[in-house]
């Protein structure tokens, strides 16, 4: 099989890129090792920057998002007996939208299966070869057979555990990493969200987040120790702990609504950046090149930003024959990646309570939160990063 752009991975990055290329008249093929049901059920964050919403609308994937997405104008921070709202619209003129990543994946898969380009499920890329020569190819396994996809370009959108990143020779690759000493226990519950906006809380015993999926489904997270077994957290224990953490700073009339828990997952927290994001004719995008801890919900938005740049770069190459935008891609993408990495790190360290936190460290983190609560400039910086920096 031969194509212009071989895309490994059908997460949001691979699917959106395929859609952009298809609309620009550039042929491509997507290889995805899982099946459709699996990728459409995977639970991930669901907070979209305005630029992410625009990118989805621009490829015709905006109708359900516009009908069902929930526009949010700010978030609430709770800490040390106080509650503070950060008003994104007043501070930046921008808003964000709650729409689950699984729904984006469903919308993009439906478009691609209806209109093309080819999307193969159960197709596991095993190696990327020839990236630095004239004939890059992906070796993959599909229906029990080994096959080769010959490409002009290859884009690794195969997530953190994919194979594309390892095709950048180790001697040319630098990785930057930080693991955090806590994880998130996330639940979905069939109950109306207890607040119209997201609530980020730093309780005495750790972080809690109230988010949502729809007017009838709540998404909640709780900081827990690494290695926690969700089975050790019966529903009552989760609700009691959430109650205690959100109580930090709530008004006395606020109550956390409880309902049937339909899913429990554990998410480790990691920062990871791989440089460069290009080796010859191989480009990396999304989680294949970078991971952020989910505090601040930048992962999906960064993946979408990468492929917006790549979509424009391939379109320019197709129209004019110039690789200038492809050449500029690694630098432009990494600039934003590092901004989001720093923002996610700040949000994470400020709002979590690491094991053995010293009194000094606690006071420092509370002081950072208090600064956001009392300074328009500090709040505006949080709002600018949360709602998304401009494209350039
Ligand atoms: N061959 C083919 N497909 C693969 C391979 C492989 N060897 N390895 C992984 N994949 C597939 C995975 O099954 C997955 O569907 O690549 C896809 C990668 O998708 P994501 O992990 O969703 O990554 P990405 O598209 O970059 O989206 C980033 O995901 O982790 C979240 O917070 C992150 O929301 C962000 C988003
Ligand atoms: C989510 O809704 O899953 C979510 C929202 C905001 C975050 C992280 C996760 O910061």
């Amino acid at each position: 099989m031969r194509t212009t752009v071989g895309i490994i991975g059908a997460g949001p990055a691979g699917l959106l890129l395929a859609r952009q290329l298809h609309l620009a008249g550039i042929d491509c093929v997507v290889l995805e090792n899982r099946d459709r049901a699996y990728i459409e059920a995977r639970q991930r964050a669901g907070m979209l920057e305005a630029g992410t919403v625009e990118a989805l609308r621009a490829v015709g994937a905006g109708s359900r998002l516009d009908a069902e997405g929930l526009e949010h104008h700010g978030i609430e921070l709770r800490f040390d007996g106080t509650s503070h709202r950060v008003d994104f619209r007043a501070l930046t003129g921008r808003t964000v939208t709650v729409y689950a990543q699984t729904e984006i994946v469903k919308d993009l898969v439906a478009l691609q299966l209806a209109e093309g380009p080819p999307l193969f499920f159960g197709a596991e890329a095993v190696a990327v070869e020839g990236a630095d020569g004239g004939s890059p190819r992906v070796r993959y396994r599909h229906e029990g057979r080994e096959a080769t996809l010959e490409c002009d370009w290859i884009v690794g959108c195969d997530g953190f555990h994919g194979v594309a990143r390892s095709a950048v020779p180790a001697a040319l690759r630098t990785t930057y990493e930080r693991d955090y000493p806590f994880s998130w226990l996330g639940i979905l519950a069939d109950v109306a969200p207890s607040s119209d906006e997201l609530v980020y809380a730093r309780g005495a015993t750790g972080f809690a987040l109230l988010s949502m999926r729809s007017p009838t489904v709540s998404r909640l997270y709780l900081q827990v120790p690494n290695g926690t077994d969700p089975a050790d957290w019966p529903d009552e224990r989760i609700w009691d702990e959430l109650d205690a953490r959100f109580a930090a700073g709530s008004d006395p009339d606020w109550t956390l609504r409880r309902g049937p828990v339909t899913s429990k997952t554990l998410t480790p927290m990691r920062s990871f950046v791989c440089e460069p994001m290009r080796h010859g004719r191989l480009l990396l995008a999304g989680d294949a090149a970078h991971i952020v801890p989910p505090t601040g919900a930048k992962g999906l938005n960064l993946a979408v930003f990468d492929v917006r740049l790549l979509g424009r770069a391939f379109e320019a190459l197709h129209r004019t024959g110039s690789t200038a935008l492809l050449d500029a891609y690694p630098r432009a993408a990494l600039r934003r990646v590092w901004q989001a990495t720093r923002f996610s790190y700040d949000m994470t360290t400020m709002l979590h309570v690491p094991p053995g936190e010293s009194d000094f460290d606690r006071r420092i983190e509370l002081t950072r939160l208090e600064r956001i609560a009392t300074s328009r400039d500090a709040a505006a910086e949080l709002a600018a990063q949360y709602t998304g920096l401009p494209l350039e």
Side-chain angles (χ1 to χ4, degrees):
M1 198 165 40
R2 165 145 209 107
T3 187
T4 304
V5 182
I7 299 175
I8 311 173
L15 291 166
L16 178 59
L17 179 62
R19 181 75 188 155
Q20 290 174 332
L21 297 182
H22 178 67
L23 294 175
I26 301 164
D27 65 53
C28 62
V29 169
V30 181
L31 304 175
E32 165 57 51
N33 69 347
R34 301 287 190 161
D35 62 24
R36 182 180 181 181
Y38 182 91
I39 66 164
E40 290 188 347
R42 201 163 33 196
Q43 283 300 325
R44 298 273 181 72
M47 181 56 99
L48 315 186
E49 294 172 1
T52 298
V53 172
E54 269 167 40
L56 291 165
R57 282 188 191 134
V59 299
S63 54
R64 214 157 60 88
L65 163 62
D66 283 329
E68 297 173 23
L70 308 169
E71 191 182 27
H72 283 207
H73 297 170
I75 56 168
E76 189 184 328
L77 298 173
R78 287 188 193 173
F79 59 96
D80 203 23
T82 63
S83 173
H84 179 76
R85 180 165 185 265
V86 182
D87 187 334
F88 296 157
R89 212 167 41 161
L91 291 162
T92 67
R94 295 196 298 273
T95 60
V96 289
T97 301
V98 171
Y99 188 66
Q101 181 170 316
T102 46
E103 304 307 317
I104 296 174
V105 167
K106 283 183 208 165
D107 295 344
L108 289 170
V109 166
L111 279 171
Q112 186 159 348
L113 293 180
E115 298 175 18
L119 164 54
F120 295 100
F121 290 108
E124 184 196 5
V126 289
V128 170
E129 295 171 348
D132 50 1
S135 57
R137 60 207 167 266
V138 184
R139 281 201 295 109
Y140 66 100
R141 244 182 252 121
H142 186 46
E143 294 173 344
R145 279 195 303 262
E146 284 240 353
T148 303
L149 177 62
E150 309 276 351
C151 316
D152 291 343
W153 299 87
I154 297 168
V155 185
C157 298
D158 48 352
F160 184 66
H161 300 288
V163 296
R165 189 172 64 244
S166 61
V168 182
L172 302 178
R173 197 178 348 131
T174 308
T175 55
Y176 301 86
E177 258 180 288
R178 185 183 214 281
D179 288 324
Y180 297 83
F182 35 74
S183 302
W184 278 12
L185 179 63
I187 62 166
L188 280 171
D190 283 336
V191 61
S194 307
S195 160
D196 293 340
E197 294 184 333
L198 268 62
V199 181
Y200 289 82
R202 187 193 216 272
T205 53
F207 171 79
L209 170 61
L210 187 159
S211 181
M212 60 208 68
R213 288 291 173 265
S214 74
T216 56
V217 177
S218 296
R219 177 74 166 152
L220 295 129
Y221 299 97
L222 200 60
Q223 175 190 340
V224 292
N226 284 339
T228 292
D229 181 355
D232 291 339
W233 283 81
D235 300 359
E236 281 309 296
R237 183 176 177 204
I238 294 177
W239 290 115
D240 290 347
E241 191 61 34
L242 286 168
D243 248 341
R245 295 188 189 180
F246 287 123
S250 68
D251 68 62
D253 296 335
W254 191 84
T255 50
L256 178 64
R257 291 192 197 115
R258 301 184 178 201
V261 175
T262 57
S263 134
K264 274 182 211 173
T265 51
L266 195 77
T267 310
M269 311 277 281
R270 174 189 290 129
S271 295
F272 173 87
V273 182
C274 168
E275 295 188 6
M277 286 173 66
R278 173 179 176 184
H279 176 63
R281 287 172 170 264
L282 166 70
L283 301 128
L284 301 176
D287 277 17
H290 41 76
I291 298 279
V292 290
T295 333
K298 284 290 158 240
L300 169 64
N301 293 295
L302 276 183
V304 167
F305 181 79
D306 289 350
V307 301
R308 287 174 86 188
L309 292 178
L310 283 175
R312 293 199 319 190
F314 280 119
E315 206 180 328
L317 174 65
H318 184 63
R319 263 190 299 106
T320 68
S322 164
T323 61
L325 287 180
L326 278 175
D327 297 339
Y329 167 73
R331 227 175 107 77
L334 280 166
R335 247 199 326 257
R336 192 184 185 90
V337 165
W338 277 110
Q339 287 297 330
T341 299
R342 196 275 292 171
F343 171 70
S344 307
Y345 168 87
D346 277 356
M347 289 287 281
T348 301
T349 51
M350 186 167 72
L351 287 161
H352 290 71
V353 179
E357 182 182 52
S358 68
D359 289 346
F360 178 84
D361 287 353
R362 182 171 50 83
R363 290 302 292 265
I364 289 290
E365 301 309 343
L366 290 172
T367 301
R368 291 166 74 190
L369 284 162
E370 192 186 288
R371 180 72 185 153
I372 292 163
T374 55
S375 151
R376 190 184 162 94
D377 288 347
E381 167 62 8
L382 188 159
Q385 294 274 359
Y386 198 110
T387 56
L389 300 175
L391 188 55
E392 294 313 331

